[in-house]
Amino acid sequence: MPAQRKLGRATDQRKAILKNLTTALFVSGRIETTEARAKEVKNIAEKLITIAIKEADNFTSKQVKISLAKVDSKGAKLTDSKTSKNGNKYLVIDREQKTDMVSVDNASRLHARRLIMNWVYRPTTADGKNVNITDKLFDEIAPKYKGKNGGYTRIYKLGPRRGDAAEMVILELV
């Protein structure tokens, strides 16, 4: 994607830092980091948001048959006892057929999703559930910036960091 500053790191370390910061920015909406890192993350985040905006509505819906297990009132799967040809008994889960509307990505939207997945991780919430940042970008962030051309992030300077005097900033989604 974009060319980056070296940030005094080896390539693998630099990419890991940028992916972590980009993911954190999309999860929380703001991050506190050094100015050099923030400028790089801003560059990446703006391009990812632009990709998501262009492809946000590029999907179709179609009906699909789905086979679901029948469940009782407590949520347990219902089973049925069957007998095989040689007389052995075994349990089979009862299933029901349903039709459901599913959204299917067009080719360019799928490509955009994969580009975004290269730059973000799949973080988990405090209760252990996975957060899909790609879905969040397409469903929440992109519609918010639909009519805007760039300028999706803002940098506030905080001053030097105690210890090494690196310039600290807050990077946030506008």
Side-chain angles (χ1 to χ4, degrees):
M1 187 109 160
Q4 301 125 14
R5 293 179 177 91
K6 301 284 188 200
L7 300 177
R9 306 279 178 178
T11 305
D12 58 340
Q13 295 172 0
R14 180 174 63 248
K15 279 191 168 185
I17 288 171
L18 294 175
K19 282 182 181 186
N20 274 327
L21 289 171
T22 305
T23 302
L25 176 64
F26 290 139
V27 168
S28 64
R30 64 187 291 162
I31 54 173
E32 183 177 330
T33 184
T34 63
E35 187 175 11
R37 289 179 185 176
K39 286 179 180 179
E40 288 307 307
V41 172
K42 177 178 180 158
N43 188 11
I44 294 165
E46 297 248 349
K47 287 184 179 174
L48 296 180
I49 292 171
T50 302
I51 289 170
I53 290 171
K54 285 180 184 172
E55 298 295 334
D57 300 325
N58 193 8
F59 63 90
T60 56
S61 297
K62 70 177 190 176
Q63 282 191 333
V64 178
K65 284 188 179 180
I66 299 173
S67 175
L68 296 171
K70 291 182 182 177
V71 292
D72 61 6
S73 60
K74 296 180 183 175
K77 293 178 183 175
L78 297 175
T79 56
D80 190 18
S81 181
K82 300 278 184 176
T83 307
S84 65
K85 292 178 186 174
N86 56 3
N88 294 334
K89 291 202 177 255
Y90 60 97
L91 294 176
V92 176
I93 296 175
D94 283 343
R95 304 192 75 76
E96 60 184 344
Q97 297 288 329
K98 290 170 75 176
T99 57
D100 198 11
M101 289 296 286
V102 185
S103 64
V104 179
D105 289 344
N106 291 340
S108 60
R109 181 175 164 129
L110 179 62
H111 178 65
R113 280 182 168 285
R114 289 180 176 164
L115 285 176
I116 291 169
M117 283 189 257
N118 278 335
W119 279 103
V120 294
Y121 290 123
R122 296 207 53 193
T124 55
T125 58
D127 56 337
K129 294 185 179 179
N130 280 341
V131 178
N132 192 337
I133 300 299
T134 309
D135 285 345
K136 184 174 181 179
L137 253 173
F138 279 98
D139 299 337
E140 296 172 27
I141 297 174
K144 189 169 131 184
Y145 299 117
K146 192 71 173 169
K148 205 169 178 192
N149 291 326
Y152 313 119
T153 57
R154 179 185 300 141
I155 294 179
Y156 291 115
K157 292 190 178 188
L158 296 176
R161 176 167 59 194
R162 188 181 165 116
D164 64 354
E167 188 66 32
M168 295 300 288
V169 298
I170 291 177
L171 174 66
E172 67 180 11
L173 296 173
V174 177

